[in-house]
Amino acid sequence: MQLNTLTKSILAFEKKYYRPPHSVSLLAVSKKHSAEKIRELFSQGQQSFGENYLQEALEKQVFLKELPIEWHFIGHIQSNKTKLIAEHFSWVQSLDRLAIAKRLNMQRPIHLPPLNICIEINIDREKNKSGIFPEDLLCFAKEILSFKNLKLRGLMIIPEKNNLGAFEKTAQLQQQLIDAGFFVDTLSMGMSSDYEAAIAAGSTMVRIGSALFHN
Ligand SMILES: *Cc1c(COP(=O)(O)O)cnc(C)c1O
């Protein structure tokens, strides 16, 4: 799909589900796609890109360093990679444990604004998947608040295929955070195959890879 087709489709779903126009932003997930392709999408107006693999992302960032791209790290985080992630990204959407939060907070360079954080929720309670269980969220979020170089923005999920109920559940968790006094504004959910349902449930950021890059 072309970028403008995808943007129009997001707008159409906002309208269909009575969401305010432009309340859902697009993160272009560029893993396994070239710096040239990213440059082309940037020239068409796309500013935020998500990457899963640190080494691959850093290589592309070198080629694109003159562009004011907002980079999101969305992959699994190994503790020996936190320093480079803290230095080279504006967002981390896959925060799933306290030890990683501590390291990112310590290693975030002081000349940069706080690192924007989404907590990854293991909404389907899958055994081999990372993420915080829903019942542990409030405690975990409170810990994150004490880290001055991190800015908690909200939640992120990668649900099981066809579990559309996961979106509603995650929206409720986000509401629990808000009711508990957290200032969170980001609900990162919805990918190429399910972004309509995610928008219907209240997503504020869809992360789209294959639908955008394979055209
Ligand atoms: C790859 C990936 C996406 C994009 O998935 P598509 O199905 O290609 O749109 C979104 N989020 C995460 C965390 C991913 O790893």
Side-chain angles (χ1 to χ4, degrees):
M1 215 188 302
Q2 296 292 324
L3 177 63
N4 70 347
T5 311
L6 177 57
T7 307
K8 279 187 197 141
S9 144
I10 292 170
L11 269 168
F13 290 141
E14 287 171 342
K15 192 157 185 227
K16 180 172 175 186
Y17 298 104
Y18 306 102
R19 304 281 315 277
H22 307 291
S23 54
V24 181
S25 66
L26 169 63
L27 182 71
V29 176
S30 43
K31 61 169 178 254
K32 304 199 175 109
H33 296 283
S34 68
E36 278 325 299
K37 187 70 198 177
I38 294 173
R39 187 186 298 281
E40 184 188 323
L41 288 170
F42 183 86
S43 75
Q44 296 167 10
Q46 179 62 31
Q47 286 222 11
S48 306
F49 289 86
E51 291 280 346
N52 293 61
Y53 308 106
L54 179 62
Q55 203 50 45
E56 179 193 329
L58 294 177
E59 284 166 23
K60 288 184 244 182
Q61 287 179 355
V62 169
F63 282 107
L64 300 165
K65 63 175 178 291
E66 80 283 7
L67 303 181
I69 289 176
E70 184 182 86
W71 293 101
H72 294 228
F73 193 80
I74 62 172
H76 182 70
I77 306 174
Q78 294 165 281
S79 55
N80 62 347
K81 303 282 172 66
T82 51
K83 182 161 188 289
L84 286 166
I85 292 172
E87 289 169 353
H88 292 274
F89 289 81
S90 304
W91 285 69
V92 167
Q93 295 205 10
S94 41
L95 183 70
D96 64 351
R97 54 204 197 279
L98 199 56
I100 297 294
K102 275 186 189 152
R103 294 176 64 90
L104 290 171
N105 180 60
M106 206 168 55
Q107 294 166 335
R108 180 68 170 172
I110 47 174
H111 65 275
L112 293 178
L115 188 58
N116 295 293
I117 296 287
C118 288
I119 297 171
E120 182 174 352
I121 304 291
N122 187 350
I123 198 72
D124 302 308
R125 315 182 71 88
E126 288 176 87
K127 273 225 170 59
N128 297 316
K129 192 145 85 185
S130 36
I132 301 289
F133 285 139
E135 65 272 24
D136 299 329
L137 172 62
L138 271 183
C139 264
F140 187 77
K142 278 182 192 144
E143 303 258 23
I144 303 307
L145 275 196
S146 67
F147 296 128
K148 295 304 164 218
N149 301 318
L150 307 183
K151 183 171 182 181
L152 181 61
R153 298 295 297 270
L155 306 178
M156 186 276 262
I157 56 161
I158 311 169
E160 274 181 310
K161 274 223 170 9
N162 303 320
N163 179 7
L164 300 182
F167 296 135
E168 297 283 352
K169 276 199 234 165
T170 310
Q172 287 165 10
L173 287 176
Q174 175 90 333
Q175 190 57 47
Q176 280 177 22
L177 281 183
I178 292 169
D179 293 345
F182 291 88
F183 293 96
V184 285
D185 59 7
T186 303
L187 201 44
S188 174
M189 53 189 200
M191 317 202 296
S192 294
S193 59
D194 57 13
Y195 66 98
E196 175 174 358
I199 291 171
S203 168
T204 69
M205 190 186 292
V206 292
R207 310 181 309 269
I208 311 276
S210 44
L212 182 59
F213 284 89
H214 297 140
N215 50 30

